[in-house]
Amino acid sequence: FSISFTSNPKYDFVTFIKGYSSAANMLVNQLIERINFPNYNAYPAVFLYRHVFELSLKNIIYSPAIILAFKRV
């Protein structure tokens, strides 16, 4: 089972990047509103940002490969 917004999941990186980034930003904004919070409450936001970073790197790697395959270089 795979969640995909297009027929080829390699093109969905930007969609997932926006979703994870938005979720992380919402969590961080909620934490900022608190005066004190335990460190472990920030771990989910850090996880989401790391996942955004990972997907961004994959997008950078796959984008040239897709372009080269399209151009048949």
Side-chain angles (χ1 to χ4, degrees), residues 39-71:
N39 289 341
Y40 59 81
N41 282 349
Y43 296 159
V46 172
F47 173 82
L48 290 170
Y49 282 127
R50 283 190 343 200
H51 200 53
V52 167
F53 181 67
E54 175 189 344
L55 291 173
S56 297
L57 289 176
K58 287 182 178 180
N59 190 43
I60 291 168
I61 291 168
Y62 280 123
S63 294
I66 292 168
I67 292 169
L68 291 175
F70 182 72
K71 291 183 175 181

